[in-house]
Amino acid sequence: MTVTIVGSQLGDEGKGGIVDLYGDAVDIVVRYQGGDNAGHTVVEGDEEYKLSLVPSGAIRGKVGLLGNGCVVNPRTLFDEIDGLRDRGLDPDVRVAQRAHAILPYHRVLDGIEEEAKSDSDLEAGTTGRGIGPTYEDKVGRRGIRIGDLLDPDVLRERLEYVVPYNRAIVEDIYGMEAGEEFDVDALFEEFSEYGRRLRENDMAVNAGEFIQSRLDDDENVMFEGAQGTSIDIDHGIYPYVTSSNPTAGGACTGTGIGPTTIGQGEIIGIVKAYLSRVGTGPLPTELKGDEESEDLAHYIREEGGEYGTVTGRPRRVGWLDMPMLRHATRASGFTGLAVNHLDVLAGLDEVNVGHSYTLDGEEVFTMPPTTERWGDCEPNLRTFDGWPEVDWEATAAEGYEAIPENAREYLDYISEELDTPIYAVGVGPNRSETIVLERPFDR
Ligand code: GDP
Ligand code: IMO
Ligand code: MG
């Protein structure tokens, strides 16, 4: 069967930890979109791993696959694999031949475009990894796919078209000088070498067939979403979004496995117990504007370590936004929820949630479709009594009933509002600090 893990908010909900949590029952873990803009953390005992491309099952020695919906920077992929090897792991990572490659010029274009937008407030605050420009080349039918790296003739032919195209954007549109990242010969040399390494290690596969053959053998497959619903290119707060579909539909198009198969499995929405945001754009429940809110934001940021995994930027912080979660639950059809970071809110007198919004004098319960209208929304807060700091590891060992009562009320509210059961509760970053209510592969 399949289990799909989807970020329900703005990324960094703790997806990597939940993939790892349920990873014992899994045979392969498949990323279906995004690239090295992701930063997924797994903490096992004293060891912390931050993964941007290698699927999070690697910590448990599971086969990882980067599906066709991903954009793959072979440089960072091989660096990450080598880094994990140095730490004593032996990651077995396969890459879809249909996945697109991120080339050095994509990062340059990402930086130039963000800079150009910065005067008009349109910059997304990207991770600078070249994600958007790579997906643009993909949709523009001029991208370079992983399969192309395996065939030097095809690679050269593709480079000879796409590099001058992108060079012209830099030189003719932005009036800047294109550097060595736009040198066809150098790119050919570097990327045909990656092709050789992919072939020698048998890493480049037909993703759909690879996954289906395992499902046919009754193996368990986990689809690991990156980013989150509100930064989905279609369902997110456009244009402050990433360039792919983190929502569950992306698991179909990004792997070659049909919605009937994925829909027969479980789809777990990963929820952070509050909001964090690394990029720009509106955020109705953001904690800012007055001293008390800024102090609370500071407290949560420090308690939760809310600094970007990829970029180190301090994250913006806000109360849980229920309209955002209702939107995410519908868009992906969650069958279960994992609510993380409950421990971070411990010690506050009161915990608020944005239950609904007021927009033009009316109460609304889901996100409006334009980001400008979302920015006009005033949150209607509901207040919960706070819960104390406790020994969370001991709580996790005892189980759900050991969670402080007020925190359980908070969890019950989320579950009831979204009409979706809670499968797991994160009370700390460690694998041992998670309370498991349901094991989706056993259901
Ligand atoms: P992802 O991108 O969704 O995989 O999440 P990130 O790894 O970017 O960010 C989540 C951060 O919170 C990581 O540092 C995790 O180790 C940490 N984390 C995950 N779950 C919990 C939790 O329940 N409590 C606390 N305090 N930290 C958590
Ligand atoms: P994980 O998988 C949080 C944000 C960036 C920016 C926007 C576009 O760790 O949850 P991009 O580089 O993708 O073109 O940036 O999306 N963003 C993320 N925010 N977590 C992520 O990944 C993110 N990946 C991209 O900050 O606002
Ligand atoms: Mg992250």
Side-chain angles (χ1 to χ4, degrees):
M1 74 172 279
T2 70
V3 170
T4 305
I5 299 294
V6 178
S8 66
Q9 294 149 321
L10 297 150
D12 303 329
E13 300 92 347
K15 298 175 291 295
I18 299 298
V19 170
D20 171 73
L21 175 73
Y22 292 132
D24 54 343
V26 167
D27 295 292
I28 50 174
V29 179
V30 185
R31 280 272 308 270
Y32 54 87
Q33 42 69 238
D36 57 349
N37 49 348
H40 294 182
T41 314
V42 175
V43 186
E44 184 205 10
D46 297 335
E47 295 288 326
E48 182 185 65
Y49 300 90
K50 294 206 173 279
L51 303 167
S52 58
L53 273 174
V54 172
S56 301
I59 312 310
R60 291 188 185 261
K62 306 296 174 165
V63 176
L65 169 63
L66 299 172
N68 56 277
C70 294
V71 287
V72 181
N73 186 328
R75 264 190 204 171
T76 44
L77 175 62
F78 286 126
D79 282 353
E80 195 163 287
I81 291 173
D82 292 344
L84 291 172
R85 286 220 174 101
D86 290 345
R87 294 181 68 180
L89 295 175
D90 186 18
D92 179 352
V93 182
R94 314 298 174 92
V95 189
Q97 294 203 31
R98 290 184 168 96
H100 279 247
I102 300 183
L103 280 91
Y105 50 81
H106 290 124
R107 285 198 180 197
V108 174
L109 289 163
D110 195 350
I112 292 176
E113 209 187 334
E114 282 283 283
E115 178 62 34
K117 282 177 169 175
S118 62
D119 291 340
S120 56
D121 256 8
L122 282 174
E123 67 194 308
T126 73
T127 59
R129 299 293 156 101
I131 305 296
T134 308
Y135 280 115
E136 282 179 51
D137 275 351
K138 168 180 173 171
V139 177
R141 296 166 301 197
R142 55 181 173 270
I144 293 180
R145 307 209 289 182
I146 293 299
D148 301 338
L149 306 183
L150 308 178
D151 184 334
D153 293 338
V154 175
L155 175 60
R156 185 166 274 284
E157 196 185 7
R158 297 263 194 273
L159 285 169
E160 279 173 0
Y161 179 78
V162 72
V163 175
Y165 178 95
N166 282 317
R167 173 188 280 275
I169 294 179
V170 175
E171 293 177 343
D172 302 343
I173 297 181
Y174 292 107
M176 296 170 76
E177 204 176 311
E180 59 185 15
E181 297 87 353
F182 296 79
D183 181 327
V184 170
D185 289 335
L187 290 169
F188 177 76
E189 203 167 303
E190 182 180 351
F191 280 76
S192 50
E193 177 56 24
Y194 295 138
R196 197 189 54 73
R197 189 167 168 186
L198 288 166
R199 189 177 323 97
E200 264 180 14
N201 295 305
D202 216 10
M203 288 170 73
V205 300
N206 183 338
E209 286 184 6
F210 186 84
I211 302 166
Q212 188 62 51
S213 68
R214 298 201 164 225
L215 289 172
D216 290 344
D217 289 343
D218 276 337
E219 291 194 1
N220 287 331
V221 177
M222 174 103 80
F223 295 106
E224 176 177 6
Q227 290 80 51
T229 306
S230 279
I231 53 173
D232 181 294
I233 185 77
D234 286 287
H235 304 291
I237 46 172
Y238 194 90
Y240 308 106
V241 292
T242 193
S243 302
S244 66
N245 288 125
T247 39
C252 306
T253 53
T255 62
I257 297 298
T260 41
T261 300
I262 288 172
Q264 278 161 18
E266 298 263 359
I267 298 174
I268 305 180
I270 314 302
V271 179
K272 187 176 268 191
Y274 50 91
L275 287 189
S276 70
R277 168 71 167 143
V278 274
T280 40
L283 199 58
T285 61
E286 184 165 14
L287 281 161
K288 68 163 195 194
D290 57 80
E291 203 180 319
E292 195 189 345
S293 304
E294 305 278 352
D295 285 351
L296 264 171
H298 180 78
Y299 175 83
I300 294 172
R301 186 177 304 116
E302 295 307 312
E303 290 291 308
E306 294 297 351
Y307 293 88
T309 309
V310 176
T311 59
R313 290 178 285 183
R315 295 177 181 147
R316 299 158 65 193
V317 172
W319 295 124
L320 193 70
D321 185 318
M322 293 308 290
M324 182 186 280
L325 291 182
R326 291 185 193 103
H327 173 68
T329 303
R330 189 203 66 252
S332 286
F334 296 149
T335 57
L337 303 171
V339 182
N340 285 324
H341 299 87
L342 203 63
D343 55 304
V344 174
L345 299 177
L348 298 177
D349 291 338
E350 290 181 338
V351 175
N352 287 327
V353 297
H355 175 73
S356 59
Y357 305 136
T358 298
L359 182 63
D360 299 336
E362 306 243 327
E363 186 175 23
V364 294
F365 291 87
T366 65
M367 291 169 87
T370 73
T371 304
E372 292 66 31
R373 296 290 282 157
W374 192 50
D376 292 337
C377 289
E378 280 296 323
N380 300 314
L381 298 178
R382 275 219 184 161
T383 302
F384 290 78
D385 289 334
W387 49 89
E389 189 66 64
V390 296
D391 177 343
W392 291 107
E393 194 146 17
T395 305
E398 280 178 59
Y400 191 78
E401 295 304 320
I403 296 175
E405 192 183 341
N406 290 348
R408 271 185 283 135
E409 264 179 39
Y410 188 71
L411 293 169
D412 289 346
Y413 162 80
I414 297 170
S415 178
E416 276 165 30
E417 284 295 321
L418 303 180
D419 197 16
T420 310
I422 292 180
Y423 283 6
V425 181
V427 294
N430 213 301
R431 190 190 286 164
S432 60
E433 291 168 318
T434 315
I435 296 158
V436 182
L437 289 91
E438 290 286 348
R439 296 199 165 271
F441 286 107
D442 296 342
R443 280 166 63 86

